[in-house]
Amino acid sequence: MTTRTDCPLCHGDGGTVLFRNAFLRVVDAQEADYPAFTRVILNRHAQEMTDLNQAERSGLMSAVYLVEALQRRHFQPDKINLAQLGNMVPHVHWHIIARFTDDKHFPNPIWGAPRAAADGPDDEPEAARRNAHIRQLVPAYHQDITQSFSALFDDTADTVPEQTRFEQTLQRITDG
């Protein structure tokens, strides 16, 4: 596996690991205001998606889509943000973030300034109640990630599951 000494994702998990194999890991990002924030991180060091071969790109995106489907199933967010920035950490990784219209940044990106109080919902305690409810759902979500990824990305030598297996797993989740 290729690593760089100056890369925090080459030498750290990037969050609490929910699933890991030789190719990638899925982690809980541990963001207090976004309890369903999840990352999919390529294990080997690569800076851009075009540094990956087609099979790696396909496998990584399959993982991102699987996390998105699981977030939709468990949390019913108003929107899901998928982001692959790498400006601060130039190592291929994706952010999958369940968003709600009452979260502290909506409709803006979570990395920007929070919206002004006058722009926020009238009932701030409602957002706090929703976050508390999401935190109660997180353990089942984490368990579903571990089980789904373990079944899909098994211990075979293949980095990427067959597309048919991925589509079947995604269908099972969305039909849920």
Side-chain angles (χ1 to χ4, degrees):
M1 177 171 71
T2 307
T3 63
R4 281 184 33 183
T5 57
D6 62 339
C7 177
L9 292 180
C10 286
H11 297 285
D13 291 329
T16 301
V17 176
L18 306 172
F19 172 82
R20 180 194 316 260
N21 68 3
F23 175 55
L24 59 76
R25 62 191 178 271
V26 180
V27 302
D28 178 334
Q30 301 292 300
E31 294 285 337
D33 292 322
Y34 299 93
F37 188 148
T38 306
R39 289 187 189 106
V40 173
I41 304 168
L42 183 71
N43 284 331
R44 76 172 176 86
H45 186 84
Q47 188 164 316
E48 306 297 343
M49 288 292 289
T50 52
D51 293 336
L52 282 57
N53 64 43
Q54 177 58 41
E56 291 172 320
R57 287 191 303 270
S58 177
L60 195 65
M61 292 314 299
S62 293
V64 169
Y65 302 145
L66 183 54
V67 171
E68 177 185 309
L70 290 168
Q71 283 189 358
R72 291 179 73 192
R73 174 197 228 177
H74 285 271
F75 307 116
Q76 295 85 44
D78 296 311
K79 182 71 178 110
I80 293 184
N81 291 172
L82 303 178
Q84 195 265 332
L85 305 169
N87 295 336
M88 299 301 292
V89 180
H91 180 121
V92 171
H93 64 286
W94 283 84
H95 304 270
I96 303 93
I97 310 157
R99 299 295 306 275
F100 298 87
T101 56
D102 63 352
D103 75 41
K104 72 189 274 185
H105 292 90
F106 198 90
N108 300 319
I110 69 164
W111 295 285
R115 62 181 164 187
D119 296 337
D122 293 333
D123 191 8
E124 290 293 328
E126 186 60 33
R129 280 193 290 277
R130 181 197 30 78
N131 261 0
H133 176 68
I134 289 171
R135 282 187 187 84
Q136 291 176 342
L137 301 174
V138 163
Y141 166 67
H142 286 177
Q143 181 177 12
D144 209 356
I145 284 178
T146 301
Q147 291 173 345
S148 296
F149 273 83
S150 295
L152 184 60
F153 289 83
D154 59 18
D155 292 330
T156 66
D158 296 331
T159 301
V160 180
E162 294 177 18
Q163 193 61 30
T164 304
R165 286 182 56 214
F166 168 70
E167 291 299 331
Q168 290 169 345
T169 301
L170 198 57
Q171 189 70 42
R172 176 188 57 79
I173 291 166
T174 56
D175 287 350

